Structure formats: C-alpha cells, structure tokens
C-alpha cells in the first residue's frame, strides 16, 4: 500500500531547462510534504518543504507546488544544472503522527545533460 | 550539515550472525530514526526513538531491535541476520515533532548478508 507514489523512475533534462518531478499521495491526512535529494553513497539531503495550508513554496531555483484536491505535488527546478543530477524523494507527514514519521516515495532519478 | 555519524559505513556478514549498527548525533535532537532503502521501495521506517529509552516500531520492524541509552546514540540490532536484510540503512534525526521540521540523514551503512 504505497501512500506516496513517484510514478516516473527517471527523468532526463537539458541543462538550463526546467525539471519537473511529480509525486502523488493517497492519504488525505498528510499535511506536510518534503523533497529530498540524494547523491550516490550519501544520505538524503533536505531540499524544500510545503505545508498543506499553502499551494506554493519557493527557494531559489526550487519551487514546490501542492494541489490538495488532486493529491499531487511537484518540484520545479529552474534552470536545471548538471549538479542537480541525483535521485529525488518526496515524503509526507500526517498531523500528530507519533514520532514525526515520514512516508517516502520510491524516488525519481534526474539526469541533467550538459 | 547535521552532525550525524553512522558506523560502520560498510559491513559484510553471514546469515545467522548478529549485527549492530550505530548512529551517533551531536545535535542533541530528541528524535532519531532508522530507515532502510531498497530498490523499488524508497526509504522505509524500521524503528524510531522519541527520547532516551523511548522507542517504537515503524513499518518494517520485524527482525530488528533498537536501543537508546543516551541522547546521542541510537543502535539498530539484527539479532540473526538474513539475506532479506541486505540493504542500505540510514539514520535520521529531528529536533521536534511539534513543529514541521525536516529530518536530517546520515550517510548510510551498506550491509550485505551472505
């Protein structure tokens, strides 16, 4: 029962263009969403988050959009750079979930071509 | 970077042997987590701790136990390792469950059970 889904296992984008990574969820109780980036042989690194009371959050080249009615969030990277090549995980948290537990998607591998 | 150290970074052992992985933090954060990452599954929570001697199970806790005798250390034990426990294990920490704050991850332990 995958409550957080990333249906695209991989994405290839030209340098300078926009990268759009998608994530769908099924649990309507989730109220906080995060994106993590992971390089090989390293741990996931927090990238950006959004609360369910917002529909957009921006941090430099990274913007996360949340569509609660569709239970869908997306991460936009503009412009994409070769250093952005990594695996991206979305994660979600339910309110008052014991221990602040996160549910992760399966990840999308982004390749940015020079 | 959050001060999280996982040890060992790599380990190869045989089926049936006990294995203990260590996570050490210097941030004095209350919450600590153990995840495993497997292809096609993303990161899945094994166990977590919400204080010294306070632990609880995650979604894939069978075959694992944990202990937290000090704020800074969280140990994951495989009492009798099986090949299905071959995985990459990540420790994470977070400051509080009362506010929406991200978890921060260590660099992982790659465990191979032969």
């Amino acid at each position: 029962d995958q409550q957080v889904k990333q249906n695209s296992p991989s994405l290839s984008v030209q340098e300078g263009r926009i990268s759009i990574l998608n994530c769908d969820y099924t649990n309507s109780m989730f109220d906080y969403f995060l994106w993590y980036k992971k390089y090989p042989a390293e741990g996931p690194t927090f990238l950006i988050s959004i609360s369910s009371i917002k529909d957009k959050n921006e941090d430099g080249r990274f913007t996360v959009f949340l569509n609660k009615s569709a239970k869908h969030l997306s991460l936009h990277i503009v412009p994409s750079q070769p250093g952005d090549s990594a695996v991206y995980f979305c994660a979600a948290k339910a309110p008052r979930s014991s221990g602040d537990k996160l549910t992760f998607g399966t990840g999308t591998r982004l390749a940015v071509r020079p | 970077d959050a001060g999280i150290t996982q040890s060992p970074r790599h380990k190869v052992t045989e089926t049936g042997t006990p294995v203990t992985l260590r996570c050490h933090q210097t941030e004095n954060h209350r919450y600590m987590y153990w995840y495993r990452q497997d292809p096609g599954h993303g990161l899945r929570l094994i166990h977590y701790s919400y204080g010294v001697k306070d632990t609880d199970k995650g979604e894939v806790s069978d075959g694992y136990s944990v202990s937290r005798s000090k704020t800074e250390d969280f140990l994951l034990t495989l009492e009798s390792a099986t090949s299905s426990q071959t995985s990459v294990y990540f420790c994470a920490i977070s400051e509080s469950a009362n506010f929406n704050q991200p978890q921060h991850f260590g660099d992982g332990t790659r465990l191979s059970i032969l």
Side-chain angles (χ1 to χ4, degrees), chain B residues 26-77:
Chain B
T26 58
E27 306 296 322
N28 201 36
H29 284 356
R30 179 180 174 188
Y31 292 86
M32 298 186 75
Y33 312 82
W34 278 107
Y35 291 88
R36 59 179 289 175
Q37 184 196 3
D38 303 289
H41 289 280
L43 287 94
R44 293 180 292 174
L45 182 66
I46 305 171
H47 282 280
Y48 66 98
S49 169
Y50 46 97
V52 174
K53 293 188 168 57
D54 292 323
T55 65
D56 205 350
K57 296 178 180 180
E59 64 175 305
V60 290
S61 59
D62 287 349
Y64 301 95
S65 62
V66 290
S67 65
R68 190 164 177 206
S69 59
K70 299 184 290 185
T71 297
E72 57 266 35
D73 289 326
F74 192 32
L75 304 181
L76 176 71
T77 297

Side-chain angles (χ1 to χ4, degrees), chain A residues 43-109:
Chain A
T45 301
F46 170 70
L47 197 56
I48 192 169
S49 63
I50 188 166
S51 167
S52 60
I53 62 174
K54 296 185 176 182
D55 54 18
K56 176 183 173 181
N57 188 27
E58 194 171 351
D59 183 2
R61 295 185 299 113
F62 303 92
T63 303
V64 56
F65 295 92
L66 176 62
N67 182 334
K68 283 183 292 184
S69 61
K71 295 190 180 67
H72 177 83
L73 64 154
S74 61
L75 174 68
H76 292 211
I77 307 174
V78 182
S80 301
Q81 300 173 354
D84 296 328
S85 297
V87 177
Y88 289 79
F89 292 98
C90 68
K93 185 173 82 71
R96 296 179 298 279
S97 64
S98 60
D100 206 25
K101 290 184 287 187
L102 295 178
T103 301
F104 283 84
T106 53
T108 297
R109 183 178 302 277

Side-chain angles (χ1 to χ4, degrees), chain A residues 8-48:
Chain A
S8 297
S10 63
L11 175 68
S12 181
V13 170
Q14 189 77 36
E15 180 179 6
R17 299 291 187 99
I18 184 172
S19 294
I20 300 176
L21 295 96
N22 294 305
C23 180
D24 297 297
Y25 62 95
T26 57
N27 188 344
S28 58
M29 296 300 292
F30 288 144
D31 70 343
Y32 180 56
F33 304 88
L34 309 89
W35 284 95
Y36 284 84
K37 178 171 72 173
K38 185 182 179 306
Y39 293 121
E42 295 184 9
T45 301
F46 170 70
L47 197 56
I48 192 169

